[in-house]
Amino acid sequence: QVKKQCDQKLLIRMKTKCVPCSLNLDTQCPAGYTKITNGTGTPDCRYYLEFKTHTLSFPGCRHRCVKEFEQPECCQGHWGPDCMGK
């Protein structure tokens, strides 16, 4: 039995919106994603607040999220929707 289907595992990474670190404890990743940072997340971003004519920038935190995705792919030498071609 020759293996025809060789699915590729892809890791999709994303970061949540930048917010004040004190508010980031409860931030959740989007559905299907797994949070890989703990606590208040990573303090590597800035968020902005607008006051009338000024915009102020503050250091903030965000979480990193990952999602594993399997992309269907045929093994070498096979092709088509059912990977039968040879």
Side-chain angles (χ1 to χ4, degrees), residues 9-51:
K9 273 193 177 163
L10 300 176
L11 212 56
I12 302 166
R13 299 170 191 273
M14 59 92 55
K15 293 175 184 169
T16 59
K17 195 174 135 202
C18 190
V19 296
C21 296
S22 59
L23 300 179
N24 205 35
L25 274 167
D26 300 326
T27 299
Q28 297 301 314
C29 291
Y33 283 82
T34 304
K35 194 191 290 187
I36 57 169
T37 43
N38 297 320
T40 56
T42 312
D44 66 347
C45 62
R46 296 190 76 79
Y47 66 96
Y48 301 91
L49 291 180
E50 289 181 33
F51 291 103

Side-chain angles (χ1 to χ4, degrees), residues 47-58:
Y47 66 96
Y48 301 91
L49 291 180
E50 289 181 33
F51 291 103
K52 294 181 182 163
T53 57
H54 295 23
T55 300
L56 300 179
S57 162
F58 298 97

Side-chain angles (χ1 to χ4, degrees), residues 4 6 27-28 31 36 50 62 68 71 77-78 84 86:
K4 300 175 190 121
C6 294
T27 299
Q28 297 301 314
I36 57 169
E50 289 181 33
R62 56 189 172 178
E68 205 172 77
Q71 185 168 323
H78 297 273
M84 291 305 286
K86 200 143 171 59

Side-chain angles (χ1 to χ4, degrees), residues 69-86:
F69 176 74
E70 231 171 66
Q71 185 168 323
E73 225 168 84
C74 297
C75 296
Q76 198 172 352
H78 297 273
W79 60 86
D82 51 6
C83 298
M84 291 305 286
K86 200 143 171 59

